[in-house]
Amino acid sequence: VLRTLGSIPRRDDIEVIVRDDGSTDKTLENLMSYAKDTDLNLTVCSNGKNYGVAYTANRLLEMANGEFFHFLMSDDTVFTDAYNGLIDRLYSFDGDILAMDLKVNDGTIFRLNPQTDDGYCAQACRFIRRSIVDGLKYPEDVKAGEDLYFHKDMMARHPKVVYSGVTAYRYNF
């Protein structure tokens, strides 16, 4: 997770919230130490025990204050300069979702466009206007694919999606 945080651009207009989901290693201690010494606008909190991805995502959405949000998973990173450029675009953005392309470990780049956007990595490769998801929740009773359920519900609201064509997300698997 520290590698993930290290890839995020240092900007005053970015709020980063990390919520530990009951890790049993030293993740929470490492995060608290990192938070003391970083110039990243970082909030660290903990569920206290493991409640799962959906519970944690719902709590993060409740805590977020920005007009847009992006879920950056703890084992993934962003290409800092490209990501930074996409954030700049949000200031004049008239859509609801700004999608970015993603690169996987073997170097393959997945280009998101209207023909390929079937929810792959759901919220991980999208900046999403919070107002488009007001009232939506990740299903906490689902143990896998909860992001796809959220994505389906979000897309049923017919948001305006803009495909950036920019590879800004590195999906680590």
Side-chain angles (χ1 to χ4, degrees):
V1 72
L2 299 181
R3 183 182 72 234
T4 300
L5 293 172
S7 72
I8 299 171
R10 280 19 189 194
R11 299 172 58 129
D12 292 335
D13 57 350
I14 295 178
E15 169 191 40
V16 178
I17 306 170
V18 178
R19 190 169 188 104
D20 181 73
D21 188 27
S23 60
T24 56
D25 57 12
K26 295 194 181 289
T27 298
L28 185 57
E29 291 173 22
N30 290 336
L31 283 167
M32 297 303 279
S33 176
Y34 183 88
K36 291 177 189 173
D37 297 324
T38 186
D39 55 351
L40 191 61
N41 179 12
L42 175 63
T43 300
V44 177
C45 54
S46 175
N47 290 342
K49 68 177 190 174
N50 182 272
Y51 287 103
V53 173
Y55 175 90
T56 303
N58 287 332
R59 302 302 78 77
L60 288 167
L61 281 174
E62 291 167 2
M63 294 176 70
N65 293 306
E67 181 179 355
F68 290 89
F69 71 91
H70 171 236
F71 279 116
L72 176 56
M73 303 305 156
S74 64
D75 56 347
D76 298 341
T77 57
V78 294
F79 295 103
T80 308
D81 291 340
Y83 193 81
N84 204 30
L86 289 177
I87 292 169
D88 287 340
R89 283 180 66 179
L90 293 174
Y91 286 101
S92 60
F93 185 64
D94 67 349
D96 299 307
I97 298 172
L98 180 60
M100 61 190 99
D101 297 342
L102 63 120
K103 186 176 189 177
V104 296
N105 296 6
D106 69 2
T108 302
I109 295 176
F110 288 88
R111 305 242 180 247
L112 269 74
N113 59 55
Q115 291 73 41
T116 62
D117 189 358
D118 60 0
Y120 188 75
C121 286
Q123 293 74 55
C125 50
R126 293 161 178 78
F127 287 100
I128 301 167
R129 191 178 301 273
R130 284 186 44 224
S131 62
I132 197 69
V133 298
D134 280 347
L136 291 183
K137 298 280 186 197
Y138 285 80
E140 294 181 21
D141 59 338
V142 175
K143 298 299 178 198
E146 53 279 301
D147 56 339
L148 290 175
Y149 288 97
F150 185 90
H151 184 77
K152 179 180 147 262
D153 291 344
M154 177 179 69
M155 296 309 287
R157 294 180 172 191
H158 307 289
K160 181 179 178 186
V161 181
V162 174
Y163 297 93
S164 70
V166 174
T167 305
Y169 196 90
R170 182 187 307 267
Y171 179 64
N172 184 35
F173 63 89

